C-alpha cells in the first residue's frame, strides 16, 4: 500500500501505478482514499490538488458520471449567461454542453472546448471528484457547489451503455456490471459514498452546497431552474417570471432539443487509441426508470436494499 509520504514525493504517474488495481470495467481502475478511478484521471485529480487555484465566486457542478452532468452543465450555463445570450442564437445551439463548462480535472481536448484559464468570472466549472478530494481551497474560499445525483439503478444502466459504446472492444454484460457496482466497484464509486459526501456537506453548509436529483429535475424542471438561479445569486426577476424565462431554459436544455441539434449528433474527441468520445455518447434515453428494461426486478430490489443500508440514517433516499 502507499503512504502520504510517497504521495508527496513521487510523480503522480508513479504514485498511481503503485495503488491497488482491479480489472472488470473497460479498463482497470485504481483505488485511492476509498474511491475507484481510471488511472489517468486520478493523476489529473492529484495534479489539481495543488495546481487548481479556486476563486471565491467559482461555481462547481459536481456529479458522478452518468447522473446528468451534460444536462446540469446546459442548465447552469444557460441560467448563468442568460443576460448575455438570446434563446434563438444561443451558444448551445452550436456547442456541446460538455464543451462550454470545463472540468477542473479533465483538460479540454478540442478547439471548441472552453479553456478554464480564460473563463471570465464567475467561473462555471465541473468535476467528478468526490467531496473529500475537492481541492481544499474550494472550501476555504467558499466556492458554491451544485451536486447532481441519480437513482443508482438508472446510473448503472447508463454507465453500462456508456462503457460499451465509448471504449472500443468493451463488451460488458449487465450481470457483470451489476455485481461490480453492488460491491462499490465502479468508476468514481462506491456510488453511495460519492453521493453521501456531498449530501452531508449540503446539510452542514446549505448556502454553499445545493443538492439536486435527476428525478426531481425530470418531474418538475421549472422550480429547479428557479432554485438554481437563486443559488447562483441571480434569481429570476418578476419580469423574467412573467415572460417565461424558466420555461425557455427548460426547453432549450431538454433532451429533445439538445438531441435535435447537429452538434450533439456528430463529431467527437479522440483520447488515445481506444477511447473515442463522440458528442452523441452523452445522450441515450434521458428517462427515469429505464433500469427496468435492462435488469430484473430482483436485481433492482437487491441494489435498492444495498443502497438503503449504506445511506441509512443520513436522510438521503433514492
Ligand atoms: P441515460 O443513459 O439513462 O439515457 P452524464 O451527462 O452525466 O454522462 O449522464 C448521461 C445521462 O444523462 C444519460 O442517461 C443521458 O441520456 C442523460 N441526459 C443527457 N442530456 C440530458 C438532458 N438534456 N435531459 C435529460 N437527460 C439527459
Amino acid at each position: 500500500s502507499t503512504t502520504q509520504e510517497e504521495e508527496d514525493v513521487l510523480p503522480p504517474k508513479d504514485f498511481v501505478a503503485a495503488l491497488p488495481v482491479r480489472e472488470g470495467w473497460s479498463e482497470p481502475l485504481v483505488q485511492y482514499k476509498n474511491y475507484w478511478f481510471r488511472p489517468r484521471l486520478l493523476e489529473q485529480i492529484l495534479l489539481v490538488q495543488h495546481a487548481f487555484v479556486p476563486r471565491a465566486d467559482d461555481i462547481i457542478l459536481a456529479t458522478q458520471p452518468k447522473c446528468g452532468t451534460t444536462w446540469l452543465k446546459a442548465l447552469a450555463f444557460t441560467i448563468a449567461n442568460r443576460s448575455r445570450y438570446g434563446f434563438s442564437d444561443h451558444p448551445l445551439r452550436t456547442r456541446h454542453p460538455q464543451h462550454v463548462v470545463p472540468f477542473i480535472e479533465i483538460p479540454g481536448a478540442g478547439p471548441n472546448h472552453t479553456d478554464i484559464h480564460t473563463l471570465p468570472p464567475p467561473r462555471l466549472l465541473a468535476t467528478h471528484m468526490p467531496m473529500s478530494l475537492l481541492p481544499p481551497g474550494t472550501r476555504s474560499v467558499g466556492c458554491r457547489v451544485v451536486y447532481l445525483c441519480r437513482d443508482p439503478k438508472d446510473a448503472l444502466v447508463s454507465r453500462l451503455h456508456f462503457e460499451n459504446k465509448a471504449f472500443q472492444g468493451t463488451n460488458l454484460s449487465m450481470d457483470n456490471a451489476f455485481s461490480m457496482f453492488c460491491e462499490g466497484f465502479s468508476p468514481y464509486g462506491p456510488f453511495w459514498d460519492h453521493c453521501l459526501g456531498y449530501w452531508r456537506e449540503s446539510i452542514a453548509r446549505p448556502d454553499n452546497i445545493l443538492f439536486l436529483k435527476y428525478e426531481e429535475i425530470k418531474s418538475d424542471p421549472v422550480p429547479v431552474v428557479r432554485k438554481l438561479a437563486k443559488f447562483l445569486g441571480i434569481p429570476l426577476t418578476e419580469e423574467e417570471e412573467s415572460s417565461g424565462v424558466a420555461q425557455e431554459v427548460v426547453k432549450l436544455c431538454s433532451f429533445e432539443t439538445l438531441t435535435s441539434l447537429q452538434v450533439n449528433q456528430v463529431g467527437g474527441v479522440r483520447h488515445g487509441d481506444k477511447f473515442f468520445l463522440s458528442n452523441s455518447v452523452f445522450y441515450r434515453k434521458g428517462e427515469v426508470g429505464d433500469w427496468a428494461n435492462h435488469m430484473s426486478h430482483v436485481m433492482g430490489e437487491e441494489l435498492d436494499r444495498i443502497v438503503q443500508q449504506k445511506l441509512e440514517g443520513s436522510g438521503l433516499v433514492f
Side-chain angles (χ1 to χ4, degrees):
S1 75
T2 50
T3 63
Q4 185 63 47
E5 234 167 89
E6 283 169 320
E7 180 176 343
D8 293 341
V9 298
L10 287 175
K13 212 177 168 55
D14 299 340
F15 174 74
V16 168
L19 290 170
V21 62
R22 183 172 164 187
E23 292 189 29
W25 294 94
S26 52
E27 69 177 308
L29 305 181
V30 291
Q31 192 177 34
Y32 175 70
K33 297 197 173 165
N34 181 50
Y35 291 95
W36 292 98
F37 301 94
R38 296 183 192 286
R40 202 179 41 84
L41 280 168
L42 179 58
E43 284 169 33
Q44 296 296 337
I45 290 173
L46 295 177
L47 285 172
V48 299
Q49 294 299 316
H50 307 290
F52 177 68
V53 182
R55 300 178 186 160
D57 57 356
D58 281 343
I59 294 148
I60 301 173
L61 311 179
T63 56
Q64 277 182 89
K66 304 305 120 200
C67 288
T69 318
T70 313
W71 196 13
L72 180 61
K73 281 187 173 189
L75 287 166
F77 177 83
T78 307
I79 294 166
N81 292 294
R82 68 188 192 275
S83 65
R84 212 173 295 171
Y85 308 120
F87 286 101
S88 55
D89 56 352
H90 198 274
L92 284 182
R93 298 204 179 271
T94 50
R95 296 182 65 200
H96 198 290
Q98 287 287 354
H99 303 167
V100 296
V101 180
F103 283 102
I104 294 172
E105 71 275 23
I106 309 174
N112 273 330
H113 293 206
T114 295
D115 184 68
I116 192 169
H117 303 292
T118 59
L119 261 184
R123 300 186 298 183
L124 206 48
L125 307 168
T127 189
H128 292 318
M129 287 182 264
M131 182 69 222
S132 52
L133 291 183
L134 274 190
T138 56
R139 187 189 176 133
S140 50
V141 304
C143 301
R144 278 162 295 171
V145 177
V146 182
Y147 185 72
L148 176 62
C149 67
R150 185 181 193 184
D151 182 322
K153 302 189 292 304
D154 284 335
L156 167 59
V157 163
S158 188
R159 159 64 57 192
L160 175 67
H161 284 91
F162 183 85
E163 295 273 312
N164 286 337
K165 229 193 252 174
F167 296 86
Q168 241 168 44
T170 302
N171 190 12
L172 272 167
S173 69
M174 184 75 246
D175 281 353
N176 250 328
F178 179 83
S179 59
M180 292 190 289
F181 191 89
C182 287
E183 285 178 49
F185 176 55
S186 62
Y188 298 93
F191 185 90
W192 40 86
D193 286 338
H194 200 288
C195 304
L196 268 179
Y198 284 95
W199 172 253
R200 295 207 169 106
E201 201 70 12
S202 76
I203 291 170
R205 299 190 300 134
D207 293 340
N208 285 86
I209 318 276
L210 177 66
F211 193 94
L212 299 174
K213 290 180 183 161
Y214 183 96
E215 296 74 23
E216 161 191 12
I217 316 183
K218 200 77 196 174
S219 76
D220 202 1
V222 167
V224 177
V225 169
R226 279 192 198 113
K227 192 154 66 170
L228 262 173
K230 193 165 166 232
F231 183 76
L232 301 185
I234 38 173
L236 297 189
T237 62
E238 256 172 55
E239 201 185 318
E240 286 179 314
E241 282 289 1
S242 52
S243 64
V245 165
Q247 288 78 0
E248 291 266 17
V249 171
V250 167
K251 195 170 154 212
L252 175 65
C253 300
S254 70
F255 187 85
E256 291 68 30
T257 303
L258 292 182
T259 52
S260 75
L261 300 166
Q262 190 179 328
V263 63
N264 297 312
Q265 297 168 350
V266 298
V269 185
R270 180 162 290 289
H271 298 262
D273 54 353
K274 247 186 97 186
F275 185 46
F276 178 72
L277 211 49
S278 65
N279 288 349
S280 63
V281 79
F282 293 99
Y283 308 92
R284 191 182 61 91
K285 267 202 168 170
E287 282 172 10
V288 171
D290 185 49
W291 67 268
N293 298 314
H294 299 278
M295 63 173 100
S296 70
H297 231 80
V298 175
M299 290 161 91
E301 280 175 3
E302 188 183 339
L303 181 48
D304 280 345
R305 209 168 35 242
I306 292 170
V307 173
Q308 264 165 32
Q309 202 181 20
K310 301 285 185 187
L311 300 183
E312 209 180 311
S314 70
L316 175 59
V317 282
F318 283 105

